C-alpha cells in the first residue's frame, strides 16, 4: 500500500481510538460500542493492504490497541433508565389531598410536630403521594425533614426548588384533618 495512504488510514484509526477512549471515560456504552464496530471494520480493511514489515507491524500494534478497547467496553454498564416518577407531574397538595393520607400517617406527622402549634408541614410533591416525605418548620425556625415511609428524620433537607415542596400546612390544619378521620 502507498505509504502516504497507509499513514493517513493509520492516523484516522488512531484518532478514532482516542475518541472511543474518551467515550469509555464518559461511560457511554452505546457510542463506544458503535465506534468500536467502525474502527474494527476499518482495521479489517487496512490489514490485508499492509505491505512490508513496517506496515504489518503497525497494523499488528493497531489491532492490539483496538482489541484492548473491547475489554474496556465490556466493563461498561448500560445507562439506567429514568424512573417513571421523574417525568410525572408534581403532586398539588391541598387539604383534600392531605386528607386522603392514612390516619396512621397523619398521626405520625402530628407526633413529629411535637405539640409545636406554630409549626408548619411541607410535603414533597414528587412520588405517588401515598407516603410522601415531609419537612417541618418549627416555631424556632429550625427545619427538619422526615421520611414518609418510616417517619424518621432524614440527614438532608428536601429539595426546595419550585414544584418540589407543597404549600405549608399549619399545626391546626393537620390536627383538624386527623380529627375528621
Amino acid at each position: 500500500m502507498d505509504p502516504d495512504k497507509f499513514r493517513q488510514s493509520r492516523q484516522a484509526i488512531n484518532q478514532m481510538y482516542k475518541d472511543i477512549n474518551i467515550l469509555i471515560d464518559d461511560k457511554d456504552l452505546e457510542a463506544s460500542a458503535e465506534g468500536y464496530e467502525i474502527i474494527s471494520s476499518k482495521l479489517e480493511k487496512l490489514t490485508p493492504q499492509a505491505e512490508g514489515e513496517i506496515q504489518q507491524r503497525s497494523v499488528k500494534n493497531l489491532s492490539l490497541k483496538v482489541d484492548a478497547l473491547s475489554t474496556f467496553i465490556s466493563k461498561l454498564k448500560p445507562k439506567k433508565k429514568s424512573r417513571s416518577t421523574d417525568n410525572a407531574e408534581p403532586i398539588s397538595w391541598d387539604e383534600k389531598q392531605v386528607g386522603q393520607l392514612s390516619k396512621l400517617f397523619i398521626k405520625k406527622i402530628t407526633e413529629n410536630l411535637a405539640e409545636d402549634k406554630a409549626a408548619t408541614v411541607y410535603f414533597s410533591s414528587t412520588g405517588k403521594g401515598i407516603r410522601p416525605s415531609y419537612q417541618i418548620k418549627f416555631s424556632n425556625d429550625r427545619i427538619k425533614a422526615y421520611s414518609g415511609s418510616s417517619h424518621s428524620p432524614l440527614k438532608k433537607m428536601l429539595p426546595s426548588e419550585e414544584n418540589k415542596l407543597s404549600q405549608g400546612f399549619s399545626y391546626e390544619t393537620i390536627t383538624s384533618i386527623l380529627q375528621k378521620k
Side-chain angles (χ1 to χ4, degrees), residues 49-172:
Q49 295 177 14
E51 296 173 353
E53 186 181 334
I54 294 174
Q55 287 184 2
Q56 289 175 349
R57 192 172 352 128
S58 181
V59 167
K60 183 179 177 184
N61 289 338
L62 278 175
S63 67
L64 290 173
K65 285 171 69 173
V66 170
D67 288 343
L69 285 176
S70 68
T71 304
F72 295 124
I73 292 170
S74 68
K75 293 180 182 179
L76 293 178
K77 295 178 181 158
K79 289 186 178 179
K80 295 179 181 176
K81 294 180 180 176
S82 64
R83 293 175 38 197
S84 61
T85 57
D86 290 346
N87 299 327
E89 285 291 317
I91 300 167
S92 178
W93 289 101
D94 54 17
E95 284 188 43
K96 182 181 176 188
Q97 183 79 23
V98 175
Q100 291 178 355
L101 295 170
S102 73
K103 181 177 181 176
L104 180 63
F105 188 88
I106 296 174
K107 186 177 181 200
K108 293 280 191 178
I109 293 173
T110 57
E111 289 172 9
N112 283 332
L113 285 167
E115 300 291 324
D116 186 346
K117 294 186 181 353
T120 308
V121 179
Y122 301 88
F123 294 99
S124 171
S125 60
T126 59
K128 296 179 182 175
I130 299 168
R131 292 183 306 226
S133 295
Y134 56 95
Q135 196 162 284
I136 300 175
K137 182 177 182 181
F138 294 95
S139 59
N140 62 1
D141 287 334
R142 191 175 61 114
I143 299 173
K144 202 167 198 177
Y146 293 89
S147 164
S149 56
S150 67
H151 296 277
S152 58
L154 297 172
K155 292 180 181 176
K156 294 182 179 180
M157 294 295 109
L158 298 177
S160 59
E161 301 144 21
E162 188 179 328
N163 295 333
K164 295 286 183 176
L165 282 181
S166 71
Q167 64 181 3
F169 294 94
S170 67
Y171 176 87
E172 292 81 26

